[in-house]
């Protein structure tokens, strides 16, 4: 399985607990995205999969239910592309990934997803070297399926690819998988506002429009305690004003460049 595209971030952290300080854990009610459902007779009745789809500053989940059998990444991607309304050329730009907290694997088209996930704990142990990874219930073994661009593509693809790129980057950095400084977090929050609501307008953005809840979806959790909500709002708005004039497409490109 060494031919998979992988990203190993383990060298930045000594233990799994170091890695988990800034990101959500099991308290979020995480459940395996790939599940077998059994009948009262102990036989597999059906299987379900949940895949995260990136569509710009927002994202949503794709849910599918299949009969027992051989389920390849290609089959799942085809179902996603059909539901998302992608043309065949557009669909070819994307693939199925499984992402843990410190490892990412791009699945081959003909690869059976259940076969890969049976070895997930072994992969986490091999590439993260965390002693906690031997415990299947430890949060370091949590993972997600993602529908995103092929590893060989660049950020210069079509606009719909850029929209997914921004959502992908946003998900990674809010989850703490991409670490950033406080200033970088402010830059990303500001460009995200420019992308979503356009140029700063005092009527659309009155004092207090960035409350604690909204700030929490702009700034990574591990930075939230750096300032109070009003201070965060003031800092972010000052930077937001500097991006005035950026179009939505340029904002998405800038978001990718910042990473």
């Amino acid at each position: 399985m060494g031919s998979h595209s992988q990203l190993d971030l383990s060298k930045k952290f000594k233990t799994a607990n170091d890695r988990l300080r800034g990101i959500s854990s099991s308290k979020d009610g995480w459940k395996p995205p790939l599940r077998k459902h059994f009948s009262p007779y102990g036989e597999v009745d059906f299987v379900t999969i949940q895949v995260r789809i990136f569509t710009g500053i927002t994202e949503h989940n794709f849910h599918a239910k299949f009969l027992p059998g051989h389920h390849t990444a290609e089959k799942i991607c085809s179902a996603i592309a059909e539901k998302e309304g992608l043309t065949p050329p557009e669909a070819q730009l994307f693939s199925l990934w499984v992402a843990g907290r410190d490892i990412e694997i791009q699945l081959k088209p003909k690869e059976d997803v259940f076969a890969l996930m049976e070895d997930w704990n072994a992969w986490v142990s091999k590439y993260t070297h965390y002693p906690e990874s031997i415990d299947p219930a430890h949060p370091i073994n949590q993972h997600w399926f993602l529908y995103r661009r092929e590893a060989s593509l660049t950020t210069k693809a079509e606009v719909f690819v850029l929209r997914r790129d921004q959502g992908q980057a946003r998900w990674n950095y809010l989850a703490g998988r991409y670490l950033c400084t406080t200033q970088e977090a402010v830059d990303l929050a500001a460009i995200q506002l420019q992308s979503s609501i356009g140029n700063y307008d005092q009527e659309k953005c009155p004092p207090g429009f960035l409350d604690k809840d909204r700030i929490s979806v702009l700034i990574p959790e591990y930075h939230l305690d750096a300032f109070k909500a009003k201070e965060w709002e003031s800092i972010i708005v000052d930077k937001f004003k500097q991006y005035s004039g950026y179009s939505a497409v340029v904002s998405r490109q800038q978001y990718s460049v910042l990473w």
Side-chain angles (χ1 to χ4, degrees), residues 231-248:
E231 295 172 320
W232 272 121
E233 181 182 46
S234 177
I235 296 169
I236 294 172
V237 167
D238 284 344
K239 178 60 68 171
F240 178 23
K241 293 176 181 178
Q242 296 178 25
Y243 286 115
S244 181
Y246 280 47
S247 68

Side-chain angles (χ1 to χ4, degrees), residues 8-72:
D8 184 1
L9 308 177
S10 60
K11 294 181 180 179
K12 293 184 179 180
F13 306 94
K14 295 180 181 179
T15 71
N17 289 332
D18 291 332
R19 186 67 185 93
L20 296 173
R21 285 174 186 159
I23 52 185
S24 301
S25 60
S26 57
K27 68 182 180 180
D28 296 321
W30 176 87
K31 294 181 180 180
L34 185 67
R35 305 174 70 184
K36 292 180 179 179
H37 300 261
F38 294 87
S39 70
Y41 305 103
E43 299 177 343
V44 178
D45 196 9
F46 60 92
V47 299
T48 57
I49 187 170
Q50 175 178 298
V51 183
R52 199 66 172 164
I53 310 294
F54 297 103
T55 56
I57 60 169
T58 61
E59 59 228 40
H60 61 278
N61 288 326
F62 166 85
H63 298 271
K65 178 179 177 181
F66 298 99
L67 293 174
H70 185 65
H71 301 294
T72 64

Side-chain angles (χ1 to χ4, degrees), residues 84-202:
E84 294 292 307
L86 300 182
T87 65
E90 292 170 346
Q92 291 178 4
L93 298 173
F94 298 94
S95 61
L96 185 67
W97 293 68
V98 57
R101 295 172 181 260
D102 290 277
I103 182 174
E104 297 178 348
I105 298 177
Q106 179 181 342
L107 279 70
K108 296 178 182 178
K110 301 297 183 182
E111 186 152 30
D112 185 280
V113 292
F114 276 101
L116 173 67
M117 297 316 298
E118 286 177 358
D119 296 327
W120 179 250
N121 283 77
W123 277 98
V124 174
S125 180
K126 178 178 180 179
Y127 283 97
T128 68
H129 312 294
Y130 293 145
E132 297 92 338
S133 62
I134 63 174
D135 177 10
H138 194 281
I140 194 63
N141 288 307
Q142 292 180 3
H143 54 277
W144 299 262
F145 281 104
L146 312 176
Y147 183 70
R148 67 186 196 191
R149 27 179 214 121
E150 288 274 356
S152 59
L153 295 180
T154 70
T155 55
K156 295 181 180 179
E158 287 85 346
V159 171
F160 71 90
V161 177
L162 288 172
R163 288 180 59 81
R164 284 175 169 79
D165 284 346
Q166 183 185 358
Q168 176 181 320
R170 176 177 176 272
W171 183 84
N172 281 326
Y173 110 93
L174 284 178
R177 300 183 68 246
Y178 294 167
L179 299 183
C180 66
T181 65
T182 303
Q183 184 55 57
E184 289 169 338
V186 171
D187 286 337
L188 289 165
I191 200 66
Q192 188 175 322
L193 290 175
Q194 181 66 24
S195 174
S196 61
I197 64 179
N199 295 337
Y200 171 79
D201 184 295
Q202 192 170 3

